[in-house]
Amino acid sequence: MLTDGFVYLLALYRDEGTPLGQVAVDVDWEPALQWVRLLAMREGRRLEDQSAPLVRPLWHESGRPYLAAVRVALATSSADRPVSCDFTTLYFREAARAAAAAFVESGRLISGERLRYLVLALTGPTRPSTETAPRFTVRRREPAGAPAERALLPIPGCTKSIGSPHADDPPAFIGQHVLDEIAGLAERETEVETGGALIGHLYRDPSAGEVFAQITAQLPAQHTSATATRLTFSSDTWVAMREEAVRRGAGERLLGWWHTHVGGSQESDDADEAQLVGRVSPLNFFSHHDCALHRAVFPNATSLALVASPRPGDGIEFGVFGWRCGLLQSRGLHVLKA
Ligand SMILES: [Zn+2]
């Protein structure tokens, strides 16, 4: 990743404006990069395999070193302009939360206090020579398989949607039978959390300039450890689910994961509401732990997570979570009858 030689700092302030301090941040650019990859895929543009992404600060009107946004760009294999997207300083939200947590730990801040942050980009020290640095090989987690071409499914023809579909998101569809299976499993296991994989196909509609996902099945997870407030997948879990997807022979790929939040579950070690995405009801949220798992296993912009939680006396409530513009947000799924 090229960052034009800049290092990024957060300046934290109390809500009324008193400065708290500045901290350097090691920015996780991967979700932004994946969003730019999605934009390229939508337009059907081939990315240059070997080219490094470029991150460039866009200055705030008050001038350097304050940021209004960062532009993340990827070169395409043709000679035309790169594919790029501008990410506002909201992109630094998680880094700001981590910095604030460190202030709380050191006793300089009271937990629960409201803060503001500004993002600064400074010209950093040049990197040391890599000549003597140890070498290692990076392997892709997922085969790079390009999506098959197919006309976008008619969204109004769907029976319903769950979660919060948004116009910026790549549309995603799920069969009602998949939701029914997950609901059945969630109703059967009410003491501890349970979960699995969402598999299906990724398509691209060239005429609509859109990429969309169709979830065709769920695979219950094996090799997990579960409590009432946390489900932990092991590396064996993901290996087994990938093998099962291949064994089915339908060309399905891993599109995401699902898990339950059982009665009374607050994933309590992460109960700080500020760290949770989309709490629409007591159990329908994405915890800090959920965010960490999704980032580690599903950084692709099209990946989704489904949270199934019992609604007392009224079946199962589904929450949908995933990436939008490099941030984990509430997402939506259109439900297909068959
Ligand atoms: Zn969870």
Side-chain angles (χ1 to χ4, degrees):
M1 176 70 71
L2 301 177
T3 56
D4 255 6
F6 286 95
V7 289
Y8 290 84
L9 274 76
L10 294 174
L12 296 177
Y13 299 85
R14 293 187 196 276
D15 202 24
E16 91 292 347
T18 316
L20 260 173
Q22 293 187 355
V23 282
V25 284
D26 194 9
V27 189
D28 177 13
W29 296 112
E30 183 67 16
L33 194 54
Q34 292 292 345
W35 190 259
V36 178
R37 285 188 188 284
L38 170 70
L39 300 184
M41 209 194 293
R42 279 173 162 166
E43 293 177 20
R45 299 174 72 191
R46 245 179 77 84
L47 294 170
E48 187 71 68
D49 284 344
Q50 300 302 324
S51 86
L54 186 70
V55 178
R56 192 159 68 81
L58 302 177
W59 303 113
H60 188 267
E61 59 189 22
S62 60
R64 291 176 77 149
Y66 294 101
L67 283 193
V70 279
R71 179 163 298 164
V72 177
L74 280 165
T76 55
S77 48
S78 52
D80 60 356
R81 65 190 163 82
V83 184
S84 71
C85 183
D86 297 346
F87 297 86
T88 68
T89 52
L90 198 60
Y91 189 76
F92 295 77
R93 185 181 65 184
E94 289 313 310
R97 282 178 184 153
F103 275 100
V104 170
E105 203 142 297
S106 66
R108 295 172 64 191
L109 192 65
I110 301 161
S111 179
E113 196 175 334
R114 226 178 142 71
L115 300 178
R116 297 166 187 271
Y117 65 90
L118 294 175
V119 188
L120 296 75
L122 302 175
T123 310
T126 50
R127 285 172 188 272
S129 160
T130 56
E131 295 263 301
T132 55
R135 284 198 169 83
F136 65 102
T137 307
V138 178
R139 296 190 200 284
R140 296 188 90 100
R141 264 184 302 235
E142 285 292 316
E149 294 198 349
R150 179 178 174 180
L152 186 59
L153 301 173
I155 293 173
C158 294
T159 50
K160 61 176 179 180
S161 61
I162 54 172
S164 331
H166 188 283
D168 290 346
D169 300 339
F173 300 83
I174 190 167
Q176 179 66 53
H177 67 285
V178 184
L179 289 179
D180 292 344
E181 271 181 49
I182 292 173
L185 292 165
E187 278 161 358
R188 205 181 310 156
E189 183 54 86
T190 55
E191 295 299 312
V192 297
E193 292 190 359
T194 184
L198 301 172
I199 61 169
H201 304 280
L202 200 59
Y203 297 109
R204 177 174 172 269
D205 181 339
S207 60
E210 187 56 281
V211 170
F212 65 101
Q214 186 176 1
I215 296 166
T216 49
Q218 66 83 29
L219 304 174
Q222 314 290 332
H223 318 290
T224 57
S225 63
T227 68
T229 58
R230 182 172 289 194
L231 178 67
T232 306
F233 294 78
S234 67
S235 54
D236 287 346
T237 310
W238 300 112
V239 170
M241 290 194 293
R242 284 193 173 92
E243 285 175 355
E244 175 62 12
V246 171
R247 199 192 58 75
R248 289 164 56 95
E252 292 152 310
R253 62 172 87 196
L254 215 55
L255 291 175
W257 62 296
W258 66 271
H259 74 295
T260 57
H261 285 171
V262 297
S265 155
Q266 298 293 315
E267 304 203 0
S268 55
D269 52 342
D270 304 312
D272 177 5
E273 204 148 348
Q275 297 193 8
L276 309 174
V277 180
R279 186 188 283 276
V280 282
S281 71
L283 294 175
N284 187 352
F285 63 88
F286 214 46
S287 74
H288 192 70
H289 175 70
D290 297 334
C291 294
L293 190 157
H294 198 78
R295 165 63 188 88
V297 186
F298 295 103
N300 290 354
T302 50
S303 298
L304 287 172
L306 193 63
V307 174
S309 49
R311 205 162 24 195
D314 191 21
I316 298 293
E317 177 177 2
F318 288 104
V320 186
F321 302 91
W323 302 103
R324 181 181 309 129
C325 300
L327 292 172
L328 276 172
Q329 311 267 12
S330 282
R331 290 272 310 260
L333 272 167
H334 304 287
V335 182
L336 298 167
K337 268 186 199 158

